[in-house]
Amino acid sequence: MTGDTRPLYQRIADDLRASILAGELEPGAKLPSENVLKDRYSTTRVTVGKGLALLKAEGLVISSQGKGALVRPRPNVQMLTTGANYRERRNTGVSNFNAEALAQGLKPEQRILSVETVPAPPEVASRLGLPGDTPVIARRRAFYVNDQPMQLVDGYYSAELFGGTAVEDVRRIRGGVSALIEDPDGPVGERITQFVEDLDIRMPTPAEASDLAIPPGVPLARVLRTAHTSSGVAVEVLDSRVPCDRHVFRYVIDIP
């Protein structure tokens, strides 16, 4: 390391980070102890601790009682969204999230946290084409994989259009609300033909960090997805908050 002017704690962090990102230290693997690192770099445990603190702040490393520092496990779920698989899953009644997780050998679960009628938040009202503060039904859910929190998802629906339907019930709907929207005998009776997604990357609020078990230094992706029917009407807004260390999203866009 002759000529390297970086502080020693930063070099320690850089070396360990490179090993983690290269897959040499896999998720769940134990890092060398502070004593081993101290001797390897001819330094003190204080300096080693500063290097490990950098990796913890980045969400790469966690401390485990009795085990020392570990590479943080990451239960990644790859979400593949195409028109074809959307239709295929809609016909089976299995949600895209559950289907993708099951295909990867994981155990998905969706929990309904609450269902209530509230004034539409401004960004929801504008996407649904409603006047501000118009009543909407808010369905709030938490998504889990292998019992670990993966997403918080709030769905918003016009109370005038969906009042008195299963959307107001605190229970799951087979095939999701989309199945109800496309049901010929439902409140809309039209096919969903377009999703518009707005993506924002930011740091989580304290409540989001707690609910999703997000470690320090890990950002959050917020996705606002608006569903439009064949007549161009916006019928659903999904507000999803996703920790950036747990998902891989892939969108296939066919250009005619």
Side-chain angles (χ1 to χ4, degrees):
M1 292 190 181
T2 302
D4 193 334
T5 60
R6 292 172 298 164
L8 185 52
Y9 75 89
Q10 186 174 350
R11 283 160 37 196
I12 294 171
D14 290 349
D15 289 348
L16 292 172
R17 184 190 303 105
S19 295
I20 293 171
L21 297 180
E24 298 167 4
L25 289 170
E26 297 182 346
K30 183 177 179 179
L31 270 64
S33 70
E34 290 188 6
N35 281 331
V36 169
L37 292 171
K38 171 179 70 69
D39 294 340
R40 179 184 299 176
Y41 289 91
S42 300
T43 187
T44 65
R45 290 188 61 177
V46 172
T47 299
V48 169
K50 289 178 66 176
L52 293 177
L54 280 180
L55 299 179
K56 291 175 184 177
E58 295 172 8
L60 292 175
V61 170
I62 59 173
S63 294
S64 177
Q65 187 68 32
K67 294 183 180 180
L70 306 176
V71 179
R72 186 169 181 272
R74 296 188 175 190
N76 288 327
V77 179
Q78 180 173 347
M79 302 304 294
L80 175 62
T81 301
T82 68
N85 69 18
Y86 171 81
R87 282 291 159 213
E88 180 181 348
R89 273 114 189 216
R90 182 62 55 241
N91 292 336
T92 64
V94 179
S95 72
N96 193 60
F97 181 89
N98 285 10
E100 289 290 350
L102 289 169
Q104 296 167 54
L106 304 171
K107 183 183 75 172
E109 180 187 1
Q110 297 185 31
R111 302 175 189 174
I112 297 179
L113 305 179
S114 67
V115 178
E116 56 186 336
T117 299
V118 299
E123 55 195 355
V124 171
S126 65
R127 285 169 171 78
L128 289 177
L130 301 173
D133 292 337
T134 299
V136 293
I137 301 168
R139 292 176 60 87
R140 308 188 193 280
R141 295 172 293 161
F143 289 40
Y144 292 77
V145 166
N146 294 351
D147 297 321
Q148 297 190 47
M150 299 293 283
Q151 296 185 25
L152 296 174
V153 181
D154 296 343
Y156 294 94
Y157 311 87
S158 164
E160 180 179 0
L161 189 58
F162 289 93
T165 72
V167 174
E168 288 188 314
D169 298 337
V170 187
R171 62 178 177 84
R172 294 185 59 188
I173 301 171
R174 178 173 172 77
V177 178
S178 296
L180 178 65
I181 292 170
E182 296 188 332
D183 184 343
D185 298 320
V188 179
E190 295 183 17
R191 284 172 62 91
I192 295 174
T193 56
Q194 183 186 64
F195 292 120
V196 177
E197 297 196 346
D198 298 297
L199 175 65
D200 176 37
I201 305 295
R202 58 171 172 79
M203 298 307 296
T205 66
E208 290 166 340
S210 175
D211 291 342
L212 291 168
I214 304 175
V218 174
L220 175 140
R222 185 189 184 207
V223 183
L224 282 170
R225 189 182 82 173
T226 307
H228 298 262
T229 66
S230 53
S231 65
V233 177
V235 290
E236 174 187 63
V237 173
L238 293 183
D239 181 354
S240 304
R241 280 89 69 210
V242 182
C244 288
D245 64 340
R246 293 172 218 177
H247 292 75
V248 177
F249 289 94
R250 181 184 180 198
Y251 300 92
V252 178
I253 302 173
D254 296 319
I255 306 299

